[in-house]
Amino acid sequence: MAKVKQVGLLAAGCQPWNKDVCAASGDRFAYCATLAIYIYQLDQQYNEFKLRSIMSEHKKTITAISWSPDNPDLFVSASADNLLIVWNVAEQKAVARLDNTKGVPASVSWCLNCSDGVAFVSQRGPLYIWVYGGGDPGVTVHKEAHSFLSDICLFRWHPTKKGKLVFGHTDGSLSIFQPGCKSQKHVLRPEALEGTDEEDPVSALEWDPLSTDYLLVSNLHNGIRLVDSEALACITSFCFPSSAASVQCLAWVPSAPGMFITGGNRGLF
């Protein structure tokens, strides 16, 4: 009988159904297929990224991942089986898990002021904080980020202003919270949506790393805006090169202040 030997592995593609299914840290990046996470690392000798490991623990569709800003070996993943897992890439194993979350986590992110804290949210909230290590592990609820009127697409902590965060909603609006200030819920909808019941989901959202107030927001159909979270005003609007184009992700360029790149359904803009 002939013997069968595996000579290679063809990795699955990145899933198209959820946001925040790609993440990077240092010389590594990861992306999510439906049930598995593929981790690539830069091979210094050949100057190319090579598949290093595959993490597979979720039983239903993975909905989001986020890499730890403090530990390059850790990232967290969430899935439709109401499960959060903290992974150690170097050891190729799960180091913590939270079962039976209330609702399917749609977006997840590390708490910037807590090295072993993870925030996650589903549908209309509330925002939960899961501290998986330390002397007082457990899950708490953000005291203000709840009772939203529209489902949440994604959220982002401010990289330098402690405790400040923004949510993007399916109706195109933003909700902004910061300690010591009045919360602003469902503000800054695109002008084209004001006074209507139409929905234009927020597809991408990133704080300006050089500002405490500015952030880029992209709606699926109404383009990209640079908005001021304090004045609640749109500073600049950017038009798509084609009416059929839409932005799925965006990022600021660290080496070029004021510049950003986007990725969409028609490639890189």
Side-chain angles (χ1 to χ4, degrees), residues 59-260:
K59 305 304 180 186
K60 291 187 178 180
T61 304
I62 298 166
T63 55
I65 58 173
S66 177
W67 217 295
S68 169
D70 299 314
N71 188 333
D73 288 336
L74 298 182
F75 71 86
V76 62
S77 61
S79 64
D81 49 358
N82 296 55
L83 171 66
L84 264 68
I85 299 177
V86 176
W87 303 89
N88 187 302
V89 178
E91 298 177 4
Q92 298 189 26
K93 68 176 185 180
V95 296
R97 57 186 292 151
L98 178 67
D99 296 283
N100 302 316
T101 61
K102 294 181 180 180
V104 174
S107 187
V108 62
S109 178
W110 292 82
C111 299
L112 299 182
N113 59 341
C114 179
S115 60
D116 55 4
V118 173
F120 63 95
V121 69
S122 61
Q123 295 181 320
R124 300 193 177 185
L127 179 71
Y128 293 98
I129 309 295
W130 172 37
V131 178
Y132 66 88
D136 188 24
V139 178
T140 57
V141 177
H142 192 285
K143 64 181 181 180
E144 294 181 299
H146 55 78
S147 303
F148 296 106
L149 301 177
S150 177
D151 285 356
I152 296 163
C153 301
L154 69 169
F155 72 96
R156 294 287 186 266
W157 294 101
H158 195 284
T160 58
K161 201 164 187 178
K162 183 179 178 181
K164 186 172 184 177
L165 74 158
V166 60
F167 295 83
H169 298 277
T170 57
D171 68 352
S173 66
L174 304 177
S175 294
I176 303 163
F177 302 87
Q178 60 179 318
C181 297
K182 181 183 177 181
S183 60
Q184 302 289 344
K185 291 185 178 179
H186 302 292
V187 296
L188 292 168
R189 291 185 81 201
E191 290 185 6
L193 299 180
E194 288 295 342
T196 73
D197 294 328
E198 293 182 38
E199 292 197 340
D200 187 8
V202 173
S203 59
L205 193 62
E206 294 296 340
W207 290 103
D208 185 340
L210 300 179
S211 169
T212 57
D213 303 328
Y214 290 1
L215 70 148
L216 278 174
V217 54
S218 171
N219 293 79
L220 196 59
H221 305 295
N222 273 281
I224 305 168
R225 294 170 292 151
L226 177 66
V227 301
D228 186 330
S229 64
E230 291 292 323
L232 299 181
C234 176
I235 305 300
T236 308
S237 295
F238 302 89
C239 297
F240 290 140
S242 165
S243 60
S246 63
V247 169
Q248 303 295 331
C249 59
L250 56 81
W252 292 95
V253 180
S255 60
M259 292 188 64
F260 63 92

